[in-house]
């Protein structure tokens, strides 16, 4: 079974600084997708960014980018110019084929942003 | 925008009660999911459904059942609530596709006393 590991239960970052959240996964599949979700205190889970395993170029969405290392099965999230609104739980998730397969989530990293 | 609506934000029930958690999505999504979220355990899949009247067990289905009589509605049922089912319950929906993201509701925090 596929597993997703987030080794940092909690992280903190100063406002305007950069922070990296780690995620590793275990799979024998070659075609899959990886996702990062954000859950602020309001509880609404929001998609932050996603990456296809076959794409070598790392995905970027504004201040959020990933470092995808397929051979190492690593999918870290980098948040640049951290803002107070970035404080949230962050979950890494994985899906392999077929496309109806549910997402497998990691246990999450709680990010605090210090003013 | 996709909207996934969970009928209750907070719910308090007694041990042994039958509990219904309702979820409705407005974007004609084929797939619907129920996850349970607990501190330190992340999101764990309870049940999911690819289509009306079909269901698949997830990782922790014991003590739960589901119903999907209409495409837009996916109900989670706790047949006889127990204190270890006190948790946050998240409903999500999606279209089929490897890259298709899940769209989540706001969650129901259930307390069983």
């Amino acid at each position: 079974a596929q597993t997703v590991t987030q080794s940092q239960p909690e992280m903190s970052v100063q406002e305007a600084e950069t922070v990296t959240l780690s995620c590793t996964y275990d799979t024998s599949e070659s075609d899959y997708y990886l996702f990062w979700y954000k859950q602020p205190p309001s509880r609404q889970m929001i998609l932050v960014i996603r990456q296809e395993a076959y794409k070598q170029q790392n995905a970027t969405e504004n201040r959020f980018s990933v470092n995808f290392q397929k051979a190492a099965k690593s999918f870290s999230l980098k948040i640049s110019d951290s803002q107070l609104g970035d404080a949230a739980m962050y979950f890494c998730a994985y899906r392999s084929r077929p496309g109806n397969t549910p997402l497998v989530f990691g246990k999450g990293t709680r990010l605090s942003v210090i003013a | 925008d996709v909207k996934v609506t969970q009928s209750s934000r907070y719910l308090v029930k007694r041990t042994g009660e039958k509990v219904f958690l309702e979820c409705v999505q407005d974007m004609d999504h084929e797939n619907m999911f129920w996850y349970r979220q607990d501190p330190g355990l992340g999101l764990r899949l309870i049940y999911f459904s690819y289509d009306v009247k079909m269901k698949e067990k997830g990782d922790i289905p014991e003590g739960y059942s589901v119903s999907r009589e209409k495409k837009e509605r996916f109900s989670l049922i706790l047949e006889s609530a127990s204190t270890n089912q006190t948790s946050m319950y998240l409903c999500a929906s999606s279209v089929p596709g490897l890259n298709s993201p899940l769209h989540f509701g706001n969650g129901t925090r259930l307390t069983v006393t």
Side-chain angles (χ1 to χ4, degrees):
Chain A
Q2 290 85 6
T3 58
V4 177
T5 301
Q6 294 180 248
S7 59
Q8 307 150 315
E10 295 183 354
M11 293 278 287
S12 62
V13 62
Q14 291 284 143
E15 205 174 358
E17 297 294 311
T18 295
V19 64
T20 298
L21 309 184
S22 67
C23 172
T24 58
Y25 56 95
D26 185 23
T27 184
S28 58
E29 304 291 334
S30 59
D31 190 14
Y32 50 87
Y33 247 85
L34 296 160
F35 303 80
W36 277 99
Y37 275 86
K38 170 185 177 181
Q39 186 184 41
S42 67
R43 302 186 341 207
Q44 179 72 53
M45 293 275 280
I46 304 163
L47 177 68
V48 175
I49 200 165
R50 53 186 161 174
Q51 172 86 36
E52 183 178 8
Y54 275 122
K55 282 193 175 172
Q56 292 192 346
Q57 186 172 3
N58 289 321
T60 299
E61 290 285 344
N62 300 314
R63 298 183 294 106
F64 297 87
S65 62
V66 298
N67 183 5
F68 174 49
Q69 303 286 331
K70 191 172 184 179
K73 297 179 183 176
S74 172
F75 182 60
S76 59
L77 174 70
K78 186 171 85 170
I79 306 173
S80 304
D81 185 25
S82 297
Q83 300 175 0
L84 295 177
D86 295 332
M89 284 290 291
Y90 286 83
F91 292 96
C92 179
Y94 162 98
R95 179 196 277 135
S96 63
R97 292 198 179 278
N100 281 339
T101 306
L103 295 189
V104 177
F105 285 87
K107 293 182 179 181
T109 297
R110 182 175 300 281
L111 178 67
S112 302
V113 180
I114 303 164
Chain B
D1 262 359
V2 177
K3 189 157 186 188
V4 179
T5 303
Q6 294 183 231
S7 54
S8 303
R9 196 158 171 84
Y10 298 94
L11 210 52
V12 180
K13 295 292 182 181
R14 295 205 178 272
T15 303
E17 277 193 80
K18 190 169 186 176
V19 181
F20 293 85
L21 302 184
E22 306 287 349
C23 176
V24 177
Q25 50 95 2
D26 66 358
M27 283 301 291
D28 203 36
H29 285 175
E30 288 83 352
N31 302 335
M32 296 190 75
F33 308 86
W34 275 105
Y35 286 89
R36 171 176 170 161
Q37 182 179 2
D38 299 288
L41 297 179
L43 276 71
R44 294 180 291 166
L45 182 67
I46 306 173
Y47 267 97
F48 59 104
S49 169
Y50 296 145
D51 204 347
V52 176
K53 295 193 186 295
M54 72 81 56
K55 60 187 178 185
E56 294 281 346
K57 291 181 179 179
D59 300 318
I60 53 165
E62 296 80 18
Y64 304 95
S65 62
V66 290
S67 171
R68 196 168 179 199
E69 296 297 318
K70 293 185 177 182
K71 191 175 185 179
E72 67 271 18
R73 186 182 296 270
F74 191 38
S75 303
L76 180 69
I77 305 157
L78 286 65
E79 297 290 342
S80 177
S82 64
T83 54
N84 63 11
Q85 292 179 309
T86 292
S87 186
M88 172 77 76
Y89 292 88
L90 294 174
C91 175
S93 71
S94 75
V95 296
L98 187 63
N99 66 341
S100 177
L102 297 189
H103 300 267
F104 283 87
N106 276 335
T108 295
R109 187 172 296 281
L110 172 68
T111 301
V112 182
T113 62

